[in-house]
Amino acid sequence: MFDLLDYATLKFVWWILVGVLLMGFAITDGMDMGVGVLLPFVARTDAERRIAINTVGPHWDGNQVWLITAGGAIFAAWPAVYAAAFSGFYMAMLLVLFALFFRPVGFDYRSKIDDTLWRSAWDWGLFVSGAVPALIFGVAFGNLLQGVPFHLDDMLRSHYQGSLLTALLPLLNPFALLAGVISLGMLTVHGALWLQLRADDPVASRARKTTVALAPVVALLFLGAGVWLWFGVDGFRVVSAPPHDAASNPLAKEVARVAHAWFDIYAVVPAAKAAPVAGVLGPIVAGLLASARRPGLGFVANAFGMVGIIGSAGLSMFPFIMPSSIDPRSSLTIWDAASSHFTLTVMFVAAAILLPIVLGYTIWCYARMWGRVTADQIEAQSHSAY
Amino acid sequence: MIDPNFVALSRWQFAGTALYHFLFVPLTLGLSWLLVIMETVYVMTGKEIYKDMTRFWGKLFGINFALGVTTGLTMEFQFGTNWSYYSHYVGDVFGAPLAIEGLMAFFLESTFIGLFFLGWDKLSKRQHLAVTFFTALGSNLSALWILVANGWMQNPVGAAFSPETMRMEMKSFADVFFNPVAQVKFVHTVAAGYVTGSLFVLGISAWHILKGRDLPFMRRSFAVAVGFGLASCLSVIVLGDESGYTLGDVQKVKLAAIEAEWHTEPAPAAFTLFGLPSQDKEETEDKIQIPWLMGVIATRSLDKPVEGLSELMVDHERRIRSGMIAYDGLMKIRGGDASPQTKALFDAHAKDLGYGLLLKQFTENPAQATDAEVKAAVKTTIPTVWPLFWSFRIMVGLGFLMLFVFAAGFWLNATNRLEENRWYLWLAVLAIPAPWIACETGWFVAEFGRQPWAIGEVLPTFLATSSLTTGDLIFSLAGFLTFYTLLLVIEIFLMQKYARLGPSSLGLGRYHHETKRALTMK
Ligand code: HEM
């Protein structure tokens, strides 16, 4: 079993797998977050809001596990990244966490008390718990692309520059905010497409208008971010490093900051261009399909778009995961931040067995719960529905 | 240099958020199986009342579950945010069970839970029962994996330190999984959860019976809970004893601290029922002892001694000195010294490296530590005894109290004399907090008793933190305090509201508050 795949291949496979988990998160939980963002706007009366909430009600919790598992997988596969990123982005992580607090309780508690103030407070809670993480995840990617101010000492302990506001505010720079808005936008479009599929009117038709207006903007902003990345953000390039199958030691390599280095991959592997192309076309096609009242296909198109956008960010940085702006040598790459060969193998076997099972029962659950959520249904189940 | 205040704040935050998380976990673990039992009876007999029971207790389950999810997220993030050196140092081993927990358990539990609440009309009876079952299975599997991870912190088997990568690396997954500590912890912890779930249902049913409301519903609920609870409570005690036995094997310091055994006594050792442990004098004053008991529990024999803390500390001093050599070797290797002698020397002392690292709180370079620093480090190798001694006794005492509650309830119920024994019903209501207190003190014993280690004999707690500032920690602590207080107030408000309403909250028109209203309307 333990020579299943050689070490270098496994490191690469885990880069793909973490990517898959993040994309899985965007496609499933991203849609719930999008619904949360839209909730106060596309659903106005209590009945409408309950319709919107119950389109994701049975699934949001399972969907959120994509995020949790992505966190767990980063811990297991890239402990150095988990350590440096989670502690470095301390304030941002806390904001995400505090925002996420409102989700489980928002869904479960909102309709348990029949009081307007109570319910609208939770509606805004659901809004925050969708909007803040969506924004901050994008901001995080925006900062990774620019390099993050941390370094590793000789015991491989990571140190981040700044604390409290001096750590948080620099994260909110214009490029990172643009990335944040792209992330927020794409998840909102995704949620809107879901509402068109599963909610009754007028929620669905309002969601359609939102999609038609917002989806092209997402494509445009993504394109704009690409241009900015080319002209305004220096990439990182590995100058020399131990072989890919060497034991993980980030400090053994040399790294340089080079203009346009984030576009290296597209020259070396032309097929990689598919990612940014999908990132631009996905949302545009999704918007067109929405206006043609084909939200099912639109949902698929937007999912491709998100895979393209997340994929572009990952590919551009390849093999970097977390470049360091103050000590480039400390940058973490997929070759030197990974777990041991043995652990990656164990985890690979676990993922290969478990992920298909998860996908299988997840699809079963969606299939069983399929159908448009209507006001009559909510009325009939007012004691049990969310 | 290490700032003790910063370390203390990090520990307070972890302990606080973990204990808070564990207010919700045990109820999920236990109540989920009770729901499976109730629903199985429904599917087998077709009696609607069992469906109503599943749905009503399921509602309370949901109120609790929401906070379990909320606070669990914190735990998933917190190793990285606040214990980043820990994450780097042991992620290769510790991360694996956490990731598998996500893939195998969280997905299962969380994907099906939504259908449990919202799928009654969309699923067949059997499908819905399967959904309930998978939810319960998922939550219990999650306990399994997290306790494999926790067991490894207590007893880090199946791994070795690598000087090249400056971290622990997994060598055998089977050893990590079949770690004896993980196994005993898993069964003791889930049994504790079953006790919690049972007492919750038992106490609330007793309250309704006292009020004479929805009697057929509440009597049946009581009967299910008392049977499951009695079996679970017996298990938790037997398995707790097993935990104690395992400690005698692999965590001698913790066991000696729990028992306030300062000095090795001639076998078989006496068990100190009560006493006043004093850390300075290394004595327990005013103690009441039961001869032989301790030796029997900890060694299952009459001739093996239980080692005392002072004797253990003598050994720790030896290991600290050996750890200094290991540290010296490590620094040489990392500095580029590739000679076989250095490697051989390091390998010979590698298992004491953790002890060498304990010196880091007193000196930058443990290899050069003075005698005074070594002595000071030795003092830190045992936890503070009195809180352990007492919290252990609270857990065990409550265990026997609950055993009485379940046994008496079982008997009264079997002989059909429940309603006339109001004192008993009140006792059952008042006992509701007991399992929570036992669980929290249990965790306190397990984790405080692990000190000074984050990873037993491998990584000291004070080194395991992130490189944050005290200001960062004050901010996050304030945030947690605010949100967690708010959430707890809301949760308790909803929980007691729905618990009091009883099955009338289902809106089916056939329970106490609804029929009463219907009567007055006539
Ligand atoms: C009555 C006899 C009991 C005994 C002899 C006992 C023994 C123990 C021991 C030795 C530990 C520490 C294990 C370690 O650190 O590795 C422990 C932990 C714990 N106990 Fe108990 N216990 C008893 C009852 C209970 C009850 C009634 C509950 C709750 C309903 C409970 C809940 C826990 C929990 C949650 C932990 C922490 C997890 C763990 O370490 O297993 N215990 N117990």
Side-chain angles (χ1 to χ4, degrees):
Chain A
M1 161 181 170
F2 294 108
D3 292 322
L4 197 63
L5 289 174
D6 67 68
Y7 195 18
T9 310
L10 263 176
K11 286 177 178 173
F12 180 73
V13 166
W14 269 100
W15 178 71
I16 303 272
L17 278 175
V18 171
V20 166
L21 288 171
L22 289 177
M23 291 165 185
F25 159 70
I27 292 171
T28 59
D29 204 32
M31 136 197 131
D32 313 333
M33 291 187 166
V35 170
V37 174
L38 291 165
L39 184 64
F41 311 108
V42 301
R44 299 190 186 135
T45 65
D46 183 55
E48 287 171 16
R49 291 202 173 158
R50 287 188 81 173
I51 290 175
I53 290 172
N54 279 283
T55 63
V56 291
H59 307 302
W60 74 268
D61 197 0
N63 295 345
Q64 176 165 286
V65 179
W66 287 92
L67 174 66
I68 299 176
T69 303
I74 293 177
F75 196 174
W78 299 335
V81 175
Y82 180 76
F86 279 53
S87 68
F89 293 150
Y90 191 66
M91 299 296 284
M93 290 311 263
L94 285 173
L95 288 183
V96 169
L97 186 62
F98 293 157
L100 288 175
F101 284 172
F102 290 100
R103 266 153 68 85
V105 274
F107 281 111
D108 202 80
Y109 291 179
R110 177 196 182 278
S111 297
K112 287 205 158 55
I113 304 266
D114 197 357
D115 176 88
T116 327
L117 188 66
W118 169 273
R119 289 190 174 180
S120 79
W122 287 117
D123 292 341
W124 283 102
L126 285 171
F127 168 81
V128 168
S129 71
V132 172
L135 189 78
I136 292 188
F137 290 143
V139 168
F141 268 99
N143 280 289
L144 290 178
L145 283 161
Q146 299 172 87
V148 181
F150 78 102
H151 78 274
L152 301 174
D153 66 19
D154 54 359
M155 301 277 278
L156 296 188
R157 178 189 283 275
S158 93
H159 301 265
Y160 193 85
Q161 200 176 58
S163 70
L164 293 169
L165 289 183
T166 59
L168 182 66
L169 293 182
L171 291 180
L172 305 176
N173 57 70
F175 180 78
L177 284 175
L178 173 61
V181 172
I182 294 170
S183 158
L184 177 62
M186 75 187 193
L187 298 189
T188 307
V189 169
H190 207 52
L193 285 157
W194 179 254
L195 286 175
Q196 291 162 65
L197 273 172
R198 294 289 310 276
D200 215 358
D201 272 334
V203 178
S205 52
R206 288 187 199 128
R208 188 178 63 245
K209 288 186 198 125
T210 313
T211 310
V212 173
L214 191 58
V217 179
V218 173
L220 213 64
L221 291 177
F222 176 62
L223 204 62
V227 174
W228 189 335
L229 194 68
W230 175 265
F231 288 107
V233 179
D234 287 349
F236 291 73
R237 196 178 283 159
V238 178
V239 180
S240 73
H244 291 165
D245 58 358
S248 293
N249 177 14
L251 298 179
K253 68 176 173 305
E254 264 183 81
V255 170
R257 284 204 88 149
V258 187
H260 313 316
W262 281 157
F263 293 82
D264 287 357
I265 187 89
Y266 305 105
V268 181
V269 188
K273 286 181 191 139
V277 170
V280 177
L281 288 185
I284 292 180
V285 173
L288 292 175
L289 286 164
S291 70
R293 294 173 199 249
R294 299 297 300 272
L297 287 176
F299 188 81
V300 175
N302 194 58
F304 273 106
M306 295 198 299
V307 167
I309 292 175
I310 298 170
S312 307
L315 281 166
S316 299
M317 286 193 288
F318 186 90
F320 289 91
I321 307 164
M322 187 169 168
S324 163
S325 57
I326 53 173
D327 179 31
R329 189 174 79 113
S330 291
S331 299
L332 302 171
T333 73
I334 73 165
W335 311 119
D336 61 25
S339 280
S340 63
H341 190 183
F342 181 77
T343 298
L344 290 186
T345 308
V346 169
M347 293 301 304
F348 175 68
V349 172
I353 297 172
L354 293 169
L355 262 185
I357 300 178
V358 169
L359 284 175
Y361 63 69
T362 303
I363 290 171
W364 184 81
C365 286
Y366 274 90
R368 299 307 312 182
M369 300 305 289
W370 198 257
R372 217 169 265 286
V373 181
T374 63
D376 293 345
Q377 273 171 32
I378 300 284
E379 178 65 22
Q381 301 167 0
S382 75
H383 289 276
S384 58
Y386 281 149
Chain B
M1 243 357 233
I2 285 113
D3 172 2
N5 289 329
F6 170 71
V7 176
L9 287 176
S10 302
R11 288 180 62 193
W12 275 104
Q13 180 169 310
F14 197 93
T17 52
L19 287 174
Y20 186 84
H21 177 53
F22 214 76
L23 289 175
F24 311 102
V25 175
L27 189 57
T28 301
L29 289 174
L31 199 47
S32 59
W33 287 122
L34 286 163
L35 296 176
V36 171
I37 296 173
M38 292 171 187
E39 194 172 347
T40 307
V41 178
Y42 165 61
V43 172
M44 280 170 31
T45 65
K47 288 188 185 148
E48 282 292 314
I49 192 163
Y50 284 97
K51 180 179 181 188
D52 297 352
M53 279 162 62
T54 314
R55 294 188 58 180
F56 167 66
W57 295 108
K59 225 182 210 342
L60 303 189
F61 177 83
I63 295 173
N64 172 71
F65 189 83
L67 277 202
V69 175
T70 307
T71 55
L73 268 174
T74 305
M75 304 318 295
E76 191 77 27
F77 280 35
Q78 201 166 197
F79 290 102
T81 51
N82 291 79
W83 301 90
S84 75
Y85 200 57
Y86 174 106
S87 305
H88 155 73
Y89 207 84
V90 300
D92 197 84
V93 196
F94 187 86
L98 283 201
I100 297 177
E101 180 187 26
L103 283 167
M104 185 187 284
F106 287 153
F107 266 122
L108 192 64
E109 172 185 37
S110 303
T111 305
F112 285 110
I113 185 95
L115 273 69
F116 171 79
F117 294 122
L118 304 170
W120 286 102
D121 301 332
K122 302 220 175 192
L123 301 170
S124 72
K125 274 188 190 177
R126 276 167 200 283
Q127 282 173 343
H128 194 280
L129 177 60
V131 160
T132 313
F133 171 78
F134 283 125
T135 307
L137 183 68
S139 60
N140 282 260
L141 281 175
S142 113
L144 172 66
W145 287 103
I146 198 66
L147 287 158
V148 166
N150 179 260
W152 190 79
M153 297 170 70
Q154 315 281 352
N155 182 34
V157 288
F161 180 79
S162 152
E164 252 178 316
T165 53
M166 196 61 217
R167 67 183 181 201
M168 297 294 288
E169 296 190 343
M170 197 183 332
K171 296 296 164 205
S172 161
F173 186 65
D175 285 355
V176 173
F177 185 76
F178 293 109
N179 183 351
V181 175
Q183 301 296 317
V184 292
K185 268 175 174 288
F186 169 61
V187 286
H188 186 59
T189 307
V190 292
Y194 303 164
V195 169
T196 310
S198 307
L199 204 68
F200 178 81
V201 174
L202 192 86
I204 294 174
S205 306
W207 187 81
H208 285 274
I209 297 174
L210 275 169
K211 300 262 164 188
R213 289 178 193 161
D214 297 321
L215 287 176
F217 183 102
M218 290 300 167
R219 275 197 213 114
R220 283 182 175 80
S221 301
F222 186 98
V224 173
V226 85
F228 189 63
L230 183 58
S232 311
C233 199
L234 284 168
S235 319
V236 91
I237 292 175
V238 173
L239 299 166
D241 172 58
E242 192 65 27
S243 262
Y245 176 66
T246 313
L247 288 184
D249 225 15
V250 297
Q251 288 191 293
K252 297 193 167 71
V253 176
K254 191 193 275 179
L255 181 71
I258 288 173
E259 298 307 350
E261 176 153 283
W262 295 101
H263 307 281
T264 308
E265 288 172 32
F271 178 83
T272 307
L273 199 55
F274 291 111
L276 301 173
S278 152
Q279 198 92 3
D280 295 336
K281 296 190 201 148
E282 301 196 357
E283 278 303 338
T284 301
E285 294 162 345
D286 303 326
K287 51 188 174 190
I288 308 171
Q289 291 191 309
I290 306 176
W292 288 28
L293 186 59
M294 175 67 195
V296 175
I297 293 178
T299 68
R300 305 260 159 94
S301 77
L302 294 179
D303 52 356
K304 290 190 214 128
V306 179
E307 277 177 84
L309 290 167
S310 341
E311 285 75 12
L312 288 164
M313 285 200 279
V314 172
D315 190 46
H316 296 160
E317 174 162 352
R318 182 186 62 74
R319 297 193 65 180
I320 289 175
R321 292 191 187 278
S322 157
M324 292 164 62
I325 304 173
Y327 186 85
D328 193 38
L330 175 64
M331 287 302 117
K332 287 192 180 131
I333 294 174
R334 289 195 64 77
D337 177 349
S339 71
Q341 294 91 316
T342 311
K343 180 157 172 14
L345 190 67
F346 174 76
D347 287 347
H349 293 271
K351 67 176 194 328
D352 294 325
L353 178 64
Y355 278 91
L357 293 176
L358 280 176
L359 287 162
K360 278 253 175 191
Q361 56 196 317
F362 303 110
T363 167
E364 267 308 318
N365 182 4
Q368 311 274 304
T370 63
D371 269 354
E373 285 162 347
V374 171
K375 292 269 183 267
V378 171
K379 287 268 177 218
T380 68
T381 58
I382 61 162
T384 311
V385 172
W386 69 265
L388 283 170
F389 180 86
W390 284 109
S391 41
F392 180 73
R393 275 150 190 75
I394 293 172
M395 168 177 64
V396 174
L398 288 172
F400 285 104
L401 173 80
M402 289 187 276
L403 184 63
F404 172 75
V405 173
F406 286 117
F410 191 81
W411 187 61
L412 289 175
N413 187 50
T415 55
N416 237 326
R417 288 183 302 157
L418 206 51
E419 274 131 86
E420 61 210 57
N421 286 290
R422 299 182 67 82
W423 66 270
Y424 173 77
L425 293 169
W426 275 117
L427 176 67
V429 176
L430 292 176
I432 292 178
W436 274 273
I437 301 172
C439 285
E440 300 284 301
T441 46
W443 273 116
F444 181 83
V445 170
E447 307 309 313
F448 192 77
R450 169 170 47 77
Q451 301 307 320
W453 304 103
I455 302 290
E457 304 187 343
V458 165
L459 181 68
T461 308
F462 66 84
L463 275 185
T465 58
S466 296
S467 310
L468 296 165
T469 62
T470 310
D472 289 319
L473 260 289
I474 290 174
F475 172 80
S476 53
L477 266 170
F480 283 117
L481 202 66
T482 313
F483 283 111
Y484 277 13
T485 309
L486 199 73
L487 290 173
L488 192 65
V489 170
I490 294 170
E491 200 255 9
I492 291 180
F493 164 73
L494 275 181
M495 190 63 105
Q496 59 82 30
K497 177 182 153 86
Y498 276 90
R500 278 170 204 264
L501 257 176
S504 311
S505 62
L506 299 173
L508 298 169
R510 50 175 174 262
Y511 288 102
H512 178 76
H513 293 284
E514 301 161 300
T515 46
K516 200 178 60 187
R517 203 176 305 146
L519 283 179
T520 46
M521 269 162 64
K522 260 187 210 152

